[in-house]
Amino acid sequence: MLNKYARAFFTRVLTPFATFLIRRGVSPDTVTLLGTAGVVAGALVFYPMGEFFWGTVVITLFVFSDLVDGNMARQLGRSSRWGAFLDSTLDRVADGAIFGGFALWYAGGGDDITLCAVSIFCLASGQVVSYTKARGESIGLPVAVNGLVERAERLVIALTLAGLAGLHKFGVPGIQYLLPIALWIVAVGSLITLIQRVVTVRRESAEAEEAAAEPGAVEPGAAEPDAAESPASEPHASESHASAPPESAVVEEKQKSREQGSEAAK
């Protein structure tokens, strides 16, 4: 849900910075890679030590690279499938590092196996939520649902409350409980979002199958013959068909040869 509103706002705010990087000759892919490296380092270095405030500060400095690289690509006119693939793939890496860092803390110094399991569930469910939409779209369905807790919500909830929980080390009492609250919210919200997307894909799939079963309906992708199966797609297909004699002519030629052979034998 936050993608609708927050992304547009931060895009406008970060546009001057994106322009500055372009003038310095920095590529969008470089920003993507450096941003992910910063997030992973902040999460896996600070969080396992219980340094949630400083870890969140470092992660926040780099997490906005997800908006900067896209802004740069649009300004340069270089939006491409490769850029989208790289960006999406590294987003999964960054998310895994953040919740993996929480899991490492609770498996070690945090000494809470339940919250360790919740952190792992947040990690896994976040990956699956993203996969359901990508997989649904890959089979031709729109997956027309945003869901309760998408990536933006997961990051805002987890990072904000983790950063505040880190103030406990600065003497703020009772605030350390905000991180467990954040993890439970993300876990439950991700589960609801996953169910929303699965139900949506099931409904859209059934609608597509019903539409394809109607008389005269053509299944998606079946309107045109597959290029790989079309004779015209074969190299020099037209020349080979033009030069090859019809089948009836071949039969007649063979029959004449047999007749000539029998006459010679006589």
Side-chain angles (χ1 to χ4, degrees):
M1 292 185 291
L2 286 176
N3 282 334
K4 288 184 177 180
Y5 310 106
R7 181 173 288 270
F9 169 76
F10 283 110
T11 296
R12 289 194 298 270
V13 171
L14 295 172
T15 293
F17 181 60
T19 304
F20 170 80
L21 292 177
I22 291 173
R23 290 174 179 172
R24 295 298 179 276
V26 181
S27 70
D29 288 352
T30 300
V31 173
T32 303
L33 292 168
L34 290 177
T36 303
V39 171
V40 171
L44 297 183
V45 171
F46 290 94
Y47 284 174
M49 297 189 299
E51 295 289 346
F52 298 117
F53 176 79
W54 293 114
T56 300
V57 169
V58 172
I59 291 170
T60 302
L61 291 175
F62 287 97
V63 77
F64 286 106
S65 65
D66 187 46
L67 299 176
V68 174
D69 56 4
N71 192 312
M72 293 172 65
R74 285 189 294 273
Q75 290 190 47
L76 292 169
R78 294 181 185 174
S79 298
S80 64
R81 291 182 177 88
W82 160 249
F85 169 82
L86 180 66
D87 189 60
S88 179
T89 300
L90 294 183
D91 282 349
R92 308 288 83 74
V93 174
D95 294 357
I98 291 171
F99 290 101
F102 294 144
L104 289 172
W105 162 248
Y106 286 114
D111 193 24
D112 193 320
I113 194 64
T114 299
L115 289 176
C116 176
V118 174
S119 299
I120 293 173
F121 180 82
C122 290
L123 190 162
S125 60
Q127 307 292 327
V128 177
V129 164
S130 298
Y131 174 79
T132 53
K133 187 173 182 65
R135 181 58 177 148
E137 291 174 344
S138 73
I139 60 176
L141 300 176
V143 195
V145 60
N146 289 322
L148 181 64
V149 176
E150 296 182 298
R151 183 174 188 259
E153 287 83 2
R154 291 196 300 271
L155 291 180
V156 168
I157 294 170
L159 294 178
T160 300
L161 296 188
L164 291 174
L167 294 176
H168 177 69
K169 288 198 171 185
F170 294 90
V172 181
I175 203 167
Q176 70 272 20
Y177 298 109
L178 289 178
L179 178 56
I181 291 172
L183 293 174
W184 279 108
I185 291 174
V186 171
V188 174
S190 296
L191 178 60
I192 293 173
T193 304
L194 177 59
I195 294 172
Q196 288 177 306
R197 290 191 173 179
V198 170
V199 170
T200 298
V201 170
R202 179 68 185 92
R203 174 178 53 80
E204 292 176 349
S205 176
E207 292 174 352
E209 290 174 359
E210 289 176 4
E214 293 179 359
V218 180
E219 295 185 4
E224 296 292 337
D226 187 73
E229 297 178 359
S230 174
S233 66
E234 299 176 4
H236 309 294
S238 59
E239 292 88 347
S240 61
H241 284 285
S243 60
E247 185 179 355
S248 58
V250 174
V251 173
E252 292 176 1
E253 188 67 27
K254 289 182 178 179
Q255 185 174 358
K256 289 180 180 180
S257 298
R258 285 197 299 270
E259 291 174 355
Q260 290 175 358
S262 61
E263 290 177 356
K266 290 179 182 178

